[in-house]
Amino acid sequence: MKEAFPGIKGIPYEGPKSRNPLSFKHYNAAEVVEGKTMGEHLRFSVAYWHSFRNGCADMFGMPTRLMPWDDGSPSLENAKTRARVAFEFFEKLGAPFYCFHDRDVAPEGKTLAETNKNLDEVVKVLKQEQQRTGVKLLWGTANLFSHPRYLHGAGTTCNADVFAFAAAQVAKAIEVTKELDGAGYVFWGGREGYKSLLNTDMGRELDHLAKLLHMAVDYKKQIGFRGQFYIEPKPKEPTKHQYDSDAAACYAFLQRYDLVDHLKLNIEANHATLAGHTFQHELEFAAAIGLLGSVDANRGDLMLGWDTDQFPTDLYDTTLAMLTILKAGGFTTGGLNFDAHVARESFEPVDLFHAHIGGMDAFARGLKIAAAIRKDGVIDKFMKERYASWDSGIGANIEAGKVNFKQLSQYMLEKGNPAPNSSGRVEMLENLLNEYI
Ligand code: XUL
Ligand code: CO
């Protein structure tokens, strides 16, 4: 097959002094940080949908991206060619992983049977390409939001037949993820929400969504898929309100429906900000409850209130994210998946390289800066001292559940007043962060 990116052999690491835009300045896969290589820490993944299915149309304009390898048809041949091109890109970029939705890789047929057959055909190519290149599948997923049948949702639809179709689609998507040895499988509830509460039985819809997930958990066991399941929070878009609105809402849902042992969280930066949180807040919450699984690495735009899915370049964001990820012990099955697309104005094939290089370098720098902060231990030390009153005496007794209201009242009656607190030193800590960045 003719090369799709003929001018590019690969993206080398050339170090911070290089002025070659098609090189890494910070991401050096083999470089060891905190006892692991950068490659092992960051586990970068390319999102098939944005990089190979998104022509960058917007509400006002047509697609702009040049994808000369793609004939624009829904044919199987085109899908197979696209798959080969995608692997050429992963390989040249040096991305160890990719992620896909079932419908990204293969066309929908007239019936479920035909659609499944199409998927099997393309999965054969994906498998060959994985073997040829060593690139692995970080996670697979089912697209339960694009087709008109899902206009009311999939797990939360009012139409039981549509629920059944969604279940069949998820079953097949888990099967092919297993076939491709995927490290995980994601549930993002694209239309699992509502437009109007006047037509929505919220309790019933939540019960149904939980049913779908329980069936998936059962099926996973049944077929012996050992990858990790994730749920991906997002508050809105395309629905006005999505049930899995943020990490805390997902946690409440997973607990209520007894699913908490079966799914971890896939935190996306732009979804966090749409929910009115920072990226780090969502990561920190997921880490605090022990469910930080994987990350969709991107960013929004301060001026725009929607999911712009831009490539991450903000060093504060990547540093704070890596601080939390390192504190949580790093990724096991998860990784950093660039759920991001090039700008509509960046329409040439080479822009796909620039975009990913930028994201990978931004996270590599974030990793190095976070590791330097952790090595010096200043923030850790500050944190430890801030909570020192809990390490012994009354604090330790409260944590151990050894005292009740009566005993605490007695303790304070005797003591009179709490000792004055020390300052939170917010500005000092912010200044310190700047020193490292
Ligand atoms: C949409 C989004 C999805 C999921 C996978 O906002 O993030 O691409 O990551 O379905
Ligand atoms: Co995402």
Side-chain angles (χ1 to χ4, degrees), residues 49 101 139 141 145 186 188 232 234 237 266 268 271 296 307 309 339:
W49 53 101
H101 299 84
W139 48 260
T141 187
F145 44 88
V186 161
W188 170 61
E232 181 178 325
K234 184 176 182 181
E237 200 199 2
N266 181 38
E268 177 163 328
H271 296 179
D296 272 6
D307 199 11
D309 283 342
D339 195 349

Side-chain angles (χ1 to χ4, degrees), residues 144 149-159 162-163 166 190-193:
L144 304 177
R149 80 172 66 85
Y150 294 124
L151 85 171
H152 297 297
T156 60
T157 174
C158 50
N159 181 333
V162 172
F163 180 101
R191 291 186 193 274
E192 314 297 22

Side-chain angles (χ1 to χ4, degrees), residues 271 359 368-369 428:
H271 296 179
K368 289 195 278 191
I369 298 166
M428 184 200 82

